[in-house]
Amino acid sequence: MKSKFRHIALIGKHQPPVAGGMQLSSRQVLDKLAHFLHTEGCEVVVEKETCANAGMQGYAALDVAQIGRECDLAVVVGGDGTMLRAARDTADAGTPLLGVNLGGLGFLTAISAGHFAKELRAVWQGKFTIETRPLIEVGGSLGGQLVSRPALNDFVVSRGAGSRLIELEVTVDGEELTRYRCDGLIVSSPTGSTAYSLAAGGAIVSPRAEVFTLTPICPHTLSNRSVVVSLHSTIGIRALSGRIETLLSADGEVVAPMAAGESVVIRRSERSTRLLHSAGTSFFKTLRQKLNWSGAHV
């Protein structure tokens, strides 16, 4: 059976060319995917930077805006970091994303690189679901410059290279929550609960739950724990530390330093991304398998 997705884009890791291109495994998977999709009767294009980094020849190279306008599906080859970038870049277009996992845990990537042909043929047969995940956004004035950035997983306000704790004042809907003395604070979306927040001891949240999770990193006060608030809340964070470098990051990428007295506001974005999953997969099944919980099918 031929695919209902006729025009498909390939997106891979962004990194400087090394030894002639991307990591060998990534390049191999991209080549095999392109060949497979072509034999299945699909028109294949490659995202512009992916095409340049991988040295792929013979395929149209499109930017993200063009992919959003022209493609029915984007297949993302990499780990969750690659999926995060693709999700942010394509959010306005509504093009569904299907992740092929080359990374570690891979909570966002739906299928493994070794089984993509089988999984994609099942997708052609209609055995898939498409899930909408909300993005979150941060805004504020830092260093005299307006900052506005979306994220799918989380925003983190953390200390820089120094070893001293930073102090942060946090409000929820204008009401003071607390002042943290800590290495940092993670504000995660439902999707991001299994990322940095989980590593810092935060709760695992179903991606369907409409909540923010606020998780302090190594707080000085042991009673400080993760706090869960509505995804419709507005979260304010003000840096109070004067001589300690404080950094704002989005999905693991540094956005800007925060000076003492500067603040940012985090809220739900109006933008969202669409993730395609193979039939039979679920968030809880993924948890059992990735975290080796009881009931996992090995």
Side-chain angles (χ1 to χ4, degrees), residues 122-133:
V123 171
W124 302 166
Q125 297 171 7
K127 298 177 181 179
F128 67 88
T129 59
I130 294 179
E131 183 181 15
T132 300
R133 299 281 184 93

Side-chain angles (χ1 to χ4, degrees), residues 177-195:
L177 172 64
T178 189
R179 291 189 177 190
Y180 292 103
R181 291 190 69 234
C182 54
D183 280 352
L185 178 69
I186 305 163
V187 180
S188 71
S189 70
T191 298
S193 77
T194 50

Side-chain angles (χ1 to χ4, degrees), residues 249-270:
S249 301
D251 283 344
E253 299 177 359
V254 174
V255 175
M258 293 181 65
E262 291 186 329
S263 62
V264 293
V265 173
I266 299 170
R267 55 170 57 91
R268 179 177 184 159
S269 173
E270 294 182 357

Side-chain angles (χ1 to χ4, degrees), residues 143-179:
Q145 300 291 324
L146 291 178
V147 170
S148 179
R149 185 71 64 90
L152 178 59
N153 266 357
D154 52 42
F155 293 107
V156 179
V157 178
S158 61
R159 64 176 175 85
S163 60
R164 297 177 62 185
L165 300 179
I166 59 174
E167 189 170 358
L168 303 173
E169 180 183 79
V170 180
T171 62
V172 178
D173 294 328
E175 180 181 352
E176 183 176 0
L177 172 64
T178 189
R179 291 189 177 190

Side-chain angles (χ1 to χ4, degrees), residues 62-263:
L62 303 185
D63 60 29
V64 171
Q66 290 173 304
I67 288 173
R69 291 194 301 267
E70 301 178 19
C71 296
D72 307 313
L73 175 69
V75 179
V76 183
V77 178
D80 280 355
T82 313
M83 282 289 288
L84 290 171
R85 176 181 61 82
R88 295 191 303 268
D89 290 347
T90 63
D92 291 328
T95 304
L97 306 179
L98 173 63
V100 176
N101 187 28
L102 293 178
L105 286 177
F107 278 97
L108 295 176
T109 46
I111 60 179
S112 68
H115 301 92
F116 69 78
K118 176 183 176 182
E119 297 286 353
L120 285 172
R121 288 195 176 105
V123 171
W124 302 166
Q125 297 171 7
K127 298 177 181 179
F128 67 88
T129 59
I130 294 179
E131 183 181 15
T132 300
R133 299 281 184 93
L135 270 65
I136 56 178
E137 63 184 21
V138 67
S141 178
L142 301 178
Q145 300 291 324
L146 291 178
V147 170
S148 179
R149 185 71 64 90
L152 178 59
N153 266 357
D154 52 42
F155 293 107
V156 179
V157 178
S158 61
R159 64 176 175 85
S163 60
R164 297 177 62 185
L165 300 179
I166 59 174
E167 189 170 358
L168 303 173
E169 180 183 79
V170 180
T171 62
V172 178
D173 294 328
E175 180 181 352
E176 183 176 0
L177 172 64
T178 189
R179 291 189 177 190
Y180 292 103
R181 291 190 69 234
C182 54
D183 280 352
L185 178 69
I186 305 163
V187 180
S188 71
S189 70
T191 298
S193 77
T194 50
Y196 195 2
S197 178
L198 176 62
I204 295 175
V205 175
S206 166
R208 295 184 179 181
E210 301 231 324
V211 296
F212 281 112
T213 305
L214 284 65
T215 305
I217 306 168
C218 297
H220 184 264
T221 301
L222 296 181
S223 61
N224 285 146
R225 292 290 184 265
S226 273
V227 177
V228 178
V229 302
S230 169
L231 193 60
H232 300 284
S233 294
T234 298
I235 299 164
I237 303 175
R238 186 162 69 100
L240 302 178
S241 306
R243 294 181 295 172
I244 307 168
E245 184 181 36
T246 303
L247 301 174
L248 169 68
S249 301
D251 283 344
E253 299 177 359
V254 174
V255 175
M258 293 181 65
E262 291 186 329
S263 62

